[in-house]
Amino acid sequence: MLKEFREFAIKGNAIDLAIGVVIGAAFGRVVTSLVDDLINPVLGLLVGGIDFTNLFIALNGESYPTLEAARVAGAPTLNLGLFVNAVISFLIVAFALFLVVKQINRLKRESPAPAAATPTTRACPECLSSVAVKARRCPFCTSALAPAA
């Protein structure tokens, strides 16, 4: 069993998958930082100075200055700003993956069509049997054949 596991783990597909997961996690952190540190401040400025991370609704009816204050107080909240951040992150990741897949598909080349094969047989004009191109006499009806063009 250990030998089978070692063979599985060493195969290229498992290693490629592990590398993809690590790169994906790093890419996720970059996108999260992009959204939290660059996009949301600009969006907040455009819509009147709203900090999306602190855009929430306290379900207990009380008012809290920040989401962290509501969490410390143990108040149930609808975290709209965090949801907006997650949606923006998803859209960025989805668009980046779309671009990657589009480029991979563009780089994949169709296998070239096989060249037209030179025929190796022709039809006998008398009996219509299939005869080798180089034959001078039909093996079926023994009629003389004209040289192949």
Side-chain angles (χ1 to χ4, degrees):
M1 181 185 244
L2 184 60
K3 182 180 176 185
E4 286 179 306
F5 177 73
R6 184 176 54 110
E7 288 175 8
F8 168 76
I10 293 176
K11 283 185 181 178
N13 292 345
I15 293 170
D16 291 344
L17 179 62
I19 291 170
V21 167
V22 170
I23 290 175
F27 183 68
R29 286 191 295 260
V30 169
V31 169
T32 299
S33 176
L34 174 71
V35 170
D36 293 343
D37 302 331
L38 297 177
I39 294 175
N40 281 345
V42 173
L43 283 176
L45 183 65
L46 292 175
V47 295
I50 297 174
D51 179 10
F52 282 107
T53 56
N54 285 317
L55 181 61
F56 66 97
I57 298 171
L59 297 177
N60 63 0
E62 295 185 30
S63 178
Y64 300 95
T66 65
L67 178 60
E68 187 61 33
R71 285 186 176 165
V72 168
T77 59
L78 289 177
N79 302 322
L80 302 174
L82 296 178
F83 178 73
V84 169
N85 288 352
V87 169
I88 293 171
S89 296
F90 170 77
L91 292 175
I92 291 172
V93 170
F95 184 70
L97 290 177
F98 166 74
L99 292 177
V100 168
V101 170
K102 184 176 178 180
Q103 289 303 317
I104 289 172
N105 288 339
R106 187 180 68 82
L107 293 176
K108 282 185 181 177
R109 300 225 190 290
E110 294 285 329
S111 59
T118 306
T120 57
T121 61
R122 61 182 170 151
C124 171
E126 297 295 324
C127 69
L128 301 177
S129 296
S130 181
V131 180
V133 170
K134 295 182 180 180
R136 290 184 281 153
R137 190 169 290 279
C138 178
F140 300 102
C141 68
T142 67
S143 62
L145 301 174

